[in-house]
Amino acid sequence: MHSSKLNIVCRLGGFHVLMNYLGSIGHVMAGSGLTEALQCCYGPIAITHMMTGKAVARALRGHFLVESALFALLLESILKMEFLTTSDIDDLRNLYKGQRAGN
């Protein structure tokens, strides 16, 4: 082929790299329950576009929502553990409140 002998390299721009990355996350996380978690906020067609990397803004917001929910569950489970002192728990609460206020 003539085109295979050309000395050209196709490079993706930043937006298309992000689309590809979000699509790869959707592919890797298939069957993990991420789609079901996102169904609380988005419709099935929107989720399909998000998981393939086509709806970038929605996908980013959805991934941030899932991350926040998982962080809240993790923090709740840490606060219920008995090896933390009361002052440790107060420090964690103040730290979390400070991060939330800084957003």
Side-chain angles (χ1 to χ4, degrees), residues 5-50:
K5 296 178 185 177
L6 294 176
N7 195 12
I8 297 174
V9 176
C10 181
R11 290 183 19 184
L12 296 176
F15 180 74
H16 288 93
V17 170
L18 182 59
M19 284 179 65
N20 193 7
Y21 182 70
L22 290 170
S24 66
I25 290 174
H27 180 74
V28 169
M29 298 300 289
S32 68
L34 180 60
T35 302
E36 289 79 11
L38 290 172
Q39 284 180 349
C40 295
C41 301
Y42 300 100
I45 295 173
I47 292 173
T48 302
H49 290 288
M50 291 165 62

Side-chain angles (χ1 to χ4, degrees), residues 83-99:
F83 65 87
L84 293 175
T85 65
T86 306
S87 93
D88 291 336
I89 292 171
D90 290 337
D91 289 342
L92 284 171
R93 284 188 178 138
N94 291 332
L95 178 67
Y96 185 68
K97 286 178 184 177
Q99 285 180 349

Side-chain angles (χ1 to χ4, degrees), residues 53-68:
K54 303 298 179 194
V56 174
R58 283 184 185 160
L60 285 174
R61 185 168 190 275
H63 288 301
F64 283 134
L65 285 171
V66 170
E67 185 270 335
S68 294

